[in-house]
Amino acid sequence: MGPLLLLLLLLLPLLWGGSLQQPPRYGLQVQESVTVQECLGANVSCSFSFPGSERSAPYIYWFRQGDNVHTSAPVATNDPQRPVKAETEGRFHLLGNRRDDCSLSIRDARMSDSGTYFFRVDAGYPERYTYRNTLNLQVTALTEKPDIQFLEPLESGRPTSLTCSLPVVCAGARFLRFSWAGDALDAVDPEMLHSSVLTLTPRPQDHGTNLTCQVTLQGGQGTTLERTVQLNVSYAPSNLSISVSLRNVTALRTLQNTSVLLISEGQALQLLCVADSNPPAQLSWFRGSPALNATPISSTAILELPGVGTAEEGEFTCRAQNPLDSQHLSLSLSVVYPPQLLGPSCSWEDGGLHCSCSSRAQPAPSLRWWLGEGLLEGTLSNASYMVNSSSAGPWANSSLRLTEGLSSGFSLSCEALNVHGVKNATVLLLPGKSTFLTGVALGALGGAGAMALLSLCLCLVYFCIVKAGRKQAARSPESPDEDPIMGTVGWGSRQKSWPDSPPDQAPSPVENAPPSGEQQELHYASLSFHDLKSREPQDREATSNTEYSEIKINK
């Protein structure tokens, strides 16, 4: 069995058309291995020699490994009598223009072209020979990705055409199949998704989304190539909002529509404006509505108000602007604060006590009256009292007419209140008098009483000094010297008029003459305290009637 098997191995090359060793003068120089990407091409250099090279040009053939040189169709040949394989027709070509050139051109390579090929020459019998040298062709997947081209920049709402193509187009468009995929295509006609050209009308929400083009090479293994791009869609500012932050508090509130923002007086405030746009919008702040070419109070997205007061009340507007358009959003800032009280002021009219009281606050305060511990509620009218109240903007006003319930030492209070605080002031009736003192606290009444007592003491000292001076003048009637303490002139020829006397009233001769006998004494002194005011917080005025005191001196 051993010698027989060896003999068969020796005869096999002869049966195939070749020989175990290359015969003399038969030579083939060809690249042993060639690699080409699918859908691309390659040229294989080849040259050969054979004994009949000086005769007319022979027929040359390239066959696929395993084909019969007599019955199988070659993949390429210059023999017009031998048809080539259908799957390589038009793609495999002989390049040789010399008798010894067997170079092979491969175009539009397919995955099915991978394999081994051999060469045969036929110059007529007996000069026919099949060469042992082989060509190993390896077709790999195409690594080139499709190109996606935009004919113009993407802008929201404007239709734009996109094209998808391969860098190298394979022969025969029937081998290419296109498809598109992406979130921006949900409104596109499905028939348009299998064309190399796509018409897209982008939207703002499509910005930053992915768009994919796939190209499938039909035939062979059906290789699929794809490229994905991120859409860059330009659109005008939208979804404008304002975030409000107080000191040490972030994201307190977000405003998307024009609204009123209430803030406590003195609070530090930060306003942050945010807009959605591409390209990013220029953000700026204005007082009120921005006019043409108006100067902003801030050219950044943030507006800082370190201490909010009534001067900051009003409208603030954020403007977002990019090359496509602009958008505005405004908020109205309203400062809230506790009541500030003006009054009460009271007077006697028509046999009753008439009082009025006003207050300013934000939100507007409510006013009410207290008689002692009793509340005089609402706008009421009965036999004993009548209350009228009104309001306008931050101001509230109330008036009271009281005809009964007045007694010595009674107290009447005006109270203003809102959600941020309470303020009140009290009217007091002194015992046995018809004089009213107002104050915010009892300390104010004490201060007024102390001031009145001090004034009374000063008047008594003045009375005693005047009396002593007049007694001395009675003992020395001829001395016209000035009093060393008070600077007044004694009874004599240089008598002065009384300071409170009108300027056009001259003293009588009797008044200028010195008294005879015992010096007359002043029995009564009338002391007046005009426009007595109590000291109150916040410099609010408090009115008072004139208080009279009578002092009688007995000898």
Side-chain angles (χ1 to χ4, degrees), residues 106-118:
I106 302 173
R107 293 185 305 169
D108 307 330
R110 301 177 184 176
M111 300 295 290
S112 58
D113 294 335
S114 296
T116 303
Y117 298 83
F118 64 91

Side-chain angles (χ1 to χ4, degrees), residues 369-401:
W369 296 90
W370 292 83
L371 181 59
E373 299 297 327
L375 176 63
L376 307 179
E377 296 185 77
T379 302
L380 301 175
S381 177
N382 56 32
S384 59
Y385 69 90
M386 181 174 63
V387 177
N388 289 314
S389 298
S390 62
S391 62
W395 284 95
N397 305 290
S398 183
S399 63
L400 170 67
R401 183 177 183 276

Side-chain angles (χ1 to χ4, degrees), residues 183-498:
D183 293 338
L185 305 178
D186 54 359
V188 177
D189 184 359
E191 296 295 330
M192 296 289 296
L193 300 180
H194 298 289
S195 172
S196 61
V197 179
L198 174 68
T199 299
L200 176 65
T201 303
R203 304 159 299 183
Q205 61 266 33
D206 297 330
H207 175 67
T209 62
N210 292 333
L211 179 68
T212 301
C213 172
Q214 292 182 337
V215 180
T216 301
L217 306 181
Q218 295 180 340
Q221 297 182 0
T223 301
T224 298
L225 308 172
E226 69 176 39
R227 180 180 291 273
T228 299
V229 295
Q230 192 173 70
L231 299 182
N232 183 15
V233 181
S234 299
Y235 55 95
S238 61
N239 301 325
L240 198 60
S241 65
I242 298 175
S243 295
V244 181
S245 300
L246 300 179
R247 182 179 300 164
N248 301 325
V249 180
T250 58
L252 175 66
R253 186 178 179 187
T254 300
L255 308 175
Q256 290 185 329
N257 297 312
T258 303
S259 58
V260 177
L261 177 64
L262 302 179
I263 184 169
S264 298
E265 187 175 20
Q267 179 68 61
L269 181 65
Q270 182 187 84
L271 302 177
L272 172 63
C273 187
V274 179
D276 180 20
S277 65
N278 186 47
Q282 173 65 41
L283 298 170
S284 51
W285 285 93
F286 299 84
R287 279 302 296 263
S289 298
L292 185 64
N293 298 326
T295 302
I297 58 176
S298 174
S299 297
T300 65
I302 298 177
L303 177 62
E304 296 278 359
L305 299 175
V308 177
T310 55
E312 283 70 43
E313 284 190 314
E315 187 179 57
F316 290 84
T317 300
C318 171
R319 182 181 70 186
Q321 185 173 26
N322 73 358
L324 299 180
D325 203 356
S326 64
Q327 188 181 24
H328 304 81
L329 180 61
S330 300
L331 65 84
S332 180
L333 192 63
S334 180
V335 180
V336 295
Y337 48 91
Q340 301 170 357
L341 199 59
L342 179 63
S345 61
C346 296
S347 62
W348 286 101
E349 297 178 12
D350 301 330
L353 181 64
H354 291 254
C355 297
S356 62
C357 186
S358 299
S359 178
R360 185 177 188 272
Q362 187 64 257
S366 60
L367 290 173
R368 55 187 184 178
W369 296 90
W370 292 83
L371 181 59
E373 299 297 327
L375 176 63
L376 307 179
E377 296 185 77
T379 302
L380 301 175
S381 177
N382 56 32
S384 59
Y385 69 90
M386 181 174 63
V387 177
N388 289 314
S389 298
S390 62
S391 62
W395 284 95
N397 305 290
S398 183
S399 63
L400 170 67
R401 183 177 183 276
L402 191 62
T403 57
E404 297 180 4
L406 300 178
S407 61
S408 176
F410 92 107
S411 66
L412 179 65
S413 299
C414 176
E415 181 180 75
L417 69 160
N418 69 0
V419 295
H420 301 286
V422 179
K423 195 76 171 180
N424 60 70
T426 302
V427 178
L428 297 177
L429 179 63
L430 298 180
K433 301 291 180 180
S434 60
T435 301
F436 295 93
L437 299 178
T438 63
V440 178
L442 291 177
L445 178 62
M451 189 165 56
L453 182 60
L454 177 60
S455 300
L456 181 60
C457 292
L458 291 176
C459 291
L460 291 176
V461 171
Y462 174 78
F463 174 80
C464 294
I465 292 176
V466 170
K467 181 178 180 181
R470 291 182 177 178
K471 287 184 177 182
Q472 183 178 0
R475 290 191 298 267
S476 305
E478 296 179 358
S479 177
D481 297 335
E482 291 185 354
D483 189 277
I485 298 176
M486 300 302 295
T488 58
V489 179
W491 299 105
S493 61
R494 292 183 294 172
Q495 178 70 25
K496 283 188 177 181
S497 62
W498 189 255

Side-chain angles (χ1 to χ4, degrees), residues 11-34:
L11 292 176
L12 183 60
L14 296 177
L15 296 175
W16 182 51
S19 61
L20 183 61
Q21 294 183 352
Q22 205 84 300
R25 301 178 63 187
Y26 286 88
L28 180 66
Q29 293 182 348
V30 66
Q31 189 175 349
E32 292 183 0
S33 179
V34 174

